[in-house]
Amino acid sequence: MALFLHRVGRLAFRKRWYVALIWAAVLAFAGLSALKAPAASDKGFSMPGIESQTAFDLMEQRFPGTAADGATARIVFVAPSGEQITDPGNKQAVEKTVAFLADGPQVVSASDPFRSKTLSRDGGTAYATVTYTVGAKELTDAAKSRLEEAVHSAQAAGLTVEVGGKALDAGGGPGGAAELIGVALAAVVLLVTFGSLAAAGLPLVTALIGVGVSLAGILALSHALGLSATTSILAMMLGLAVGIDYALFVVSRYREERARGHAPQEAVGLAVGTAGSAVVFAGLTVVIALAGLSVVGIPMLTKMGLAAAGAVTIAVLIALTLVPALLGFWPNTVLTRRARKGGRIEQQSTRDNWGTRWARFVLRRPLPVLLVGVAGLGALALPAMDLQLGNPGDEAKPTSTTERRAYDALAEAFGPGSNGPLTVVVDARGNTDAKGAVKSVTRQIGATEGVVSVSSPRFNAAGDTAVFQAVPSTAPTDEKTKNLVTSIRDDRSAIESRTGVTFAVTGTTAVDIDIAGKVQSALVPYLIVVVGLAIVLLLLVFRSVLVPLKAALGYLLSVLASLGVVVLVFQQGLGAELLGAEHTGPIMSLMPIFLVGIVFGLAMDYEVFLVSRMREAYVHGESPRQAVISGFRHSARVVVAAALIMIAVFAGFIGESDSMIKMIGFGLASAILFDAFVVRMAIVPAVLALLGHKAWWLPGRLDKLLPRIDVEGEALDQRPAEAGPQSVGATTGREVSRT
């Protein structure tokens, strides 16, 4: 591996013009493809294997021309203070608005609140539900404009009007502020780390090129593969973070090799052969974790994982090819100012730095450091025991949005359950008295404890399928609502035996409950698959049994601690206002899967980068304790910088208004903080100090079976000298071009 990547680095250095042109062509091709590709279609959220999805599929089959998960707009009308919504003027304004919307484009139906009895008991509030034939993303501008025009017309009549639902939800991803904040903070960290604008700018430039290629590719394929906006958000997050980090490690090792006296071309080869090997395997662990999301069985999550894995793969390829090519154009500008002005490349210092001082501190007190680190992370993980999964809706949006105001108005006038009615789909095919049977189902479900009201059933053209809604007494994210859904489903067999028809419960609330259940059941298998594959991979990298196990256990501590602080903030509300989270409630159902998968891959990055330098020193004859010190001397500063960059990138997304993006950004930033600074910087050296030589133990039989990967670059020391170490001056661009 090291020899092959060494040749790749030297080749990219020599053929830098070709490499740069190839990447420019790839970026241009991806960009043009994205511009010409049709917009992504909104196929809705598909979740095979759950009752809610089965009911959706039945609705689309039995009600042709209607999207079961099509966009809806719930328009809430509030009469002026002291008036009733049934007053002649107010009633006329409401009916006019509903009639206007019913004739709009892409509209299936618009319910009249006076006919559907959706009036509050005090008579001050009413709501109408507008159902569309397509999803929110496929609504035309004409359909949205008609909705906005209707709202303005009712408001002009003196009513307070708010719109809930997804019809006016713009969707999409971040507006750009999050990326700019993350890049700006990353630039500051790089500048402090390298002390050179060029050295700080090169990782940023290459990472942005990689993100550009990735996002353009996702946009180009989004229509064909049904990719959502969230797919590009995750790919952008990870592509930017690992892209900067991987380039950072190669540039840092290049500067180190130059300080040892190597000529630019050989320094590039050695950097790619050593740090590049670590980049390959670190990237591979991330790809394994992301591709492993397919185990969960959620198509959207699988697509997000594979798209993000593609972005990470591109970041690895850029670090191995484009970074050395750019170093070929500017071999000296990435060096320190003293090295450039002094006319010579400084020899690498073996003096202690803060990394070696910290390593010696831990080595003197390994057991106390280990106990404090484990106890601290364990305490932070305790709130995760109270984890409640769900999908935050309009209640989690800022009060400045009409969706949030509509949610609050409905909850106040009709009760919290009105914001999450359950949709019941009754299949009466083959029943001679379909209407009577459906009426009986409606009556029995309406009598269930926890159900406030049920709507009149709506039949399809064939008269063999009906749909009606049951309004719970509790909010969509309330645990009692989950119990209600379970109770209705448990009573199904008795109801079906009495009526001779079958039914299924769906709707947004039921979908969220089903998703949470599926994620919980898939979490352990996913964890086993990902951790198992990564342990095997690290076994190949470090040729040790205990080091991979220690890495996996450390990861579990950091991910549980990060999940605990997410629960503490977003579910229990501690410090939520500081992050702009105006509403606390259940944690997004997919959040544990995101943390388990993404954080595992990123945590293994630091494990590979840090411990590979320790392994390199140990292989070259240093004692276990001295190898830990050497690893920290060479890698601690760069690993800390890489972690700060990732934290900056992820923390930038906390400022987004979308609660899901905010939660993901906070969770990932917290996990990187815990893993890099507590697990890798404290627990890892403490465990290695306690294990000594045993840390690098590998059974002889297993040693013979495992292929030798040579991440530490041992083979580079045994090769015939191509351009060995030599004291060189600050070469000019002409001298470099002849190298």
Side-chain angles (χ1 to χ4, degrees):
M1 171 67 77
L3 282 175
F4 170 74
L5 292 179
H6 175 267
R7 289 192 289 268
V8 169
R10 288 173 61 90
L11 180 64
F13 185 96
R14 291 196 307 270
K15 306 294 185 181
R16 46 191 172 270
W17 279 107
Y18 292 103
V19 173
L21 289 174
I22 288 173
W23 277 110
V26 170
L27 180 59
F29 176 77
L32 290 174
S33 300
L35 291 174
K36 293 183 178 181
S41 60
D42 185 11
K43 297 299 184 183
F45 187 89
S46 177
M47 175 75 77
I50 62 174
E51 179 175 326
S52 301
Q53 186 64 49
T54 302
F56 270 136
D57 295 340
L58 180 62
M59 288 174 64
E60 290 192 336
Q61 177 186 351
R62 301 289 178 84
F63 293 84
T66 302
D69 52 353
T72 59
R74 182 168 289 188
I75 306 171
V76 184
F77 304 93
V78 181
S81 178
E83 298 183 16
Q84 298 285 306
I85 202 71
T86 53
D87 290 347
N90 296 333
K91 182 177 181 181
Q92 183 181 4
V94 171
E95 291 177 335
K96 180 180 178 181
T97 301
V98 172
F100 180 74
L101 287 171
D103 292 334
Q106 298 179 301
V107 173
V108 176
S109 63
S111 63
D112 185 331
F114 302 105
R115 295 181 180 177
S116 57
K117 308 298 183 184
T118 52
L119 305 174
S120 62
R121 290 185 178 180
D122 62 6
T125 306
Y127 70 86
T129 302
V130 182
T131 306
Y132 293 89
T133 58
V134 295
K137 294 179 184 176
E138 293 182 330
L139 283 177
T140 62
D141 291 338
K144 293 181 180 180
S145 297
R146 194 175 184 90
L147 176 57
E148 293 171 350
E149 183 181 348
V151 170
H152 294 323
S153 176
Q155 289 172 339
L159 299 175
T160 298
V161 186
E162 305 294 348
V163 183
K166 297 182 179 180
L168 292 181
D169 188 357
E179 300 94 312
L180 292 177
I181 292 172
V183 170
L185 292 175
V188 173
V189 173
L190 288 169
L191 189 58
V192 172
T193 302
F194 285 133
S196 163
L197 284 173
L202 191 148
L204 288 175
V205 170
T206 55
L208 290 174
I209 291 173
V211 169
V213 172
S214 302
L215 293 185
I218 290 172
L219 289 175
L221 298 173
S222 59
H223 179 79
L225 301 181
L227 304 180
S228 65
T230 313
T231 304
S232 61
I233 295 172
L234 182 62
M236 179 174 56
M237 275 187 181
L238 292 178
L240 189 59
V242 303
I244 295 174
D245 278 6
Y246 294 166
L248 164 66
F249 279 95
V250 174
V251 172
S252 177
R253 189 61 183 255
Y254 169 78
R255 283 161 50 113
E256 185 179 319
E257 297 300 336
R258 289 295 304 274
R260 287 175 173 168
H262 288 288
Q265 180 174 303
E266 179 63 9
V268 164
L270 291 171
V272 176
T274 52
S277 297
V279 165
V280 168
F281 281 93
L284 192 54
T285 58
V286 181
V287 170
I288 287 175
L290 292 170
L293 290 172
S294 58
V295 174
V296 181
I298 302 175
M300 184 198 75
L301 198 58
T302 299
K303 293 173 184 178
M304 290 175 65
L306 293 178
V312 173
T313 302
I314 290 173
V316 171
L317 294 176
I318 282 182
L320 300 179
T321 58
L322 185 58
V323 170
L326 294 182
L327 288 173
F329 287 113
W330 300 284
N332 293 324
T333 54
V334 298
L335 304 178
T336 62
R337 182 179 301 177
R338 181 181 301 177
R340 297 195 305 271
K341 288 187 175 181
R344 65 183 181 84
I345 308 300
E346 291 186 328
Q347 294 297 315
Q348 181 187 16
S349 173
T350 58
R351 292 181 300 176
D352 285 350
N353 53 29
W354 70 265
T356 58
R357 289 191 290 271
W358 171 253
R360 288 194 175 97
F361 172 82
V362 175
L363 292 176
R364 287 194 299 268
R365 308 167 181 81
L367 189 58
V369 170
L370 176 62
L371 293 177
V372 170
V374 172
L377 293 180
L380 290 173
L382 287 177
M385 298 178 64
D386 297 327
L387 174 68
Q388 295 179 5
L389 296 181
N391 280 327
D394 290 343
E395 77 279 5
K397 294 183 178 180
T399 52
S400 59
T401 62
T402 185
E403 293 92 346
R404 172 62 183 275
R405 293 194 298 269
Y407 181 96
D408 292 342
L410 279 174
E412 182 180 355
F414 297 92
S418 60
N419 282 291
L422 306 176
T423 300
V424 181
V425 185
V426 184
D427 184 2
R429 178 170 288 183
N431 192 292
T432 55
D433 184 17
K435 290 187 177 181
V438 170
K439 184 177 180 179
S440 177
V441 171
T442 305
R443 184 176 60 255
Q444 293 182 61
I445 290 180
T448 304
E449 183 179 357
V451 174
V452 174
S453 63
V454 293
S455 66
S456 300
R458 176 170 61 94
F459 283 84
N460 64 341
D464 59 5
T465 307
V467 176
F468 67 90
Q469 291 188 329
V471 179
S473 61
T474 51
T477 56
D478 196 302
E479 192 70 15
K480 293 181 180 178
T481 305
K482 177 182 177 181
N483 296 335
L484 172 62
V485 173
T486 302
S487 176
I488 292 175
R489 288 172 173 171
D490 289 343
D491 294 340
R492 175 168 33 215
S493 58
I495 295 175
E496 290 177 349
S497 64
R498 288 193 293 267
T499 61
V501 297
T502 61
F503 70 87
V505 182
T506 185
T508 303
T509 301
V511 168
D512 292 343
I513 293 171
D514 289 346
I515 291 174
K518 184 159 187 174
V519 168
Q520 285 179 322
S521 63
L523 188 57
V524 173
Y526 173 61
L527 191 61
I528 292 173
V529 169
V530 172
V531 174
L533 289 175
I535 286 177
V536 172
L537 185 64
L538 293 178
L539 186 66
L540 294 174
V541 173
F542 296 124
R543 306 192 70 77
S544 162
V545 173
L546 298 180
V547 169
L549 292 176
K550 175 263 307 170
L553 292 175
Y555 148 75
L556 289 175
L557 274 175
S558 60
V559 78
L560 287 175
S562 63
L563 189 58
V565 297
V566 168
V567 170
L568 201 63
V569 173
F570 290 93
Q571 182 175 307
Q572 299 179 1
L574 182 63
E577 293 183 359
L578 298 176
L579 300 180
E582 300 184 14
H583 179 86
T584 58
I587 302 304
M588 183 185 69
S589 297
L590 300 181
M591 190 66 191
I593 291 290
F594 277 127
L595 283 178
V596 168
I598 299 171
V599 175
F600 184 84
L602 299 180
M604 294 304 103
D605 276 6
Y606 304 123
E607 181 74 13
V608 171
F609 288 133
L610 183 62
V611 180
S612 63
R613 292 307 297 264
M614 299 178 189
R615 168 75 180 171
E616 182 177 340
Y618 182 78
V619 167
H620 286 81
E622 294 186 10
S623 67
R625 294 177 66 88
Q626 186 58 41
V628 172
I629 296 172
S630 296
F632 269 78
R633 172 183 289 115
H634 297 299
S635 297
R637 184 182 183 189
V638 181
V639 168
V640 167
L644 290 175
I645 288 169
M646 281 200 179
I647 292 171
V649 172
F650 294 141
F653 288 86
I654 297 175
E656 291 296 324
S657 59
D658 188 291
S659 59
M660 183 182 73
I661 299 175
K662 185 189 296 288
M663 195 180 295
I664 292 175
F666 177 79
L668 292 178
S670 301
I672 297 301
L673 176 67
F674 299 145
D675 193 86
F677 292 99
V678 180
V679 174
R680 309 304 155 190
M681 287 292 161
I683 294 178
V684 165
V687 171
L688 292 177
L690 293 172
L691 291 176
H693 286 284
K694 296 178 182 178
W696 308 107
W697 170 76
L698 185 69
R701 182 174 298 180
L702 188 58
D703 185 44
K704 294 179 181 178
L705 292 175
L706 294 178
R708 294 193 174 274
I709 305 299
D710 189 25
V711 174
E712 62 274 0
E714 185 179 5
L716 295 176
D717 296 334
Q718 302 172 0
R719 77 192 193 287
E722 296 181 51
Q726 53 182 311
S727 297
V728 294
T731 55
T732 64
R734 183 177 299 176
E735 291 169 334
V736 172
S737 64
R738 293 198 303 264
T739 304

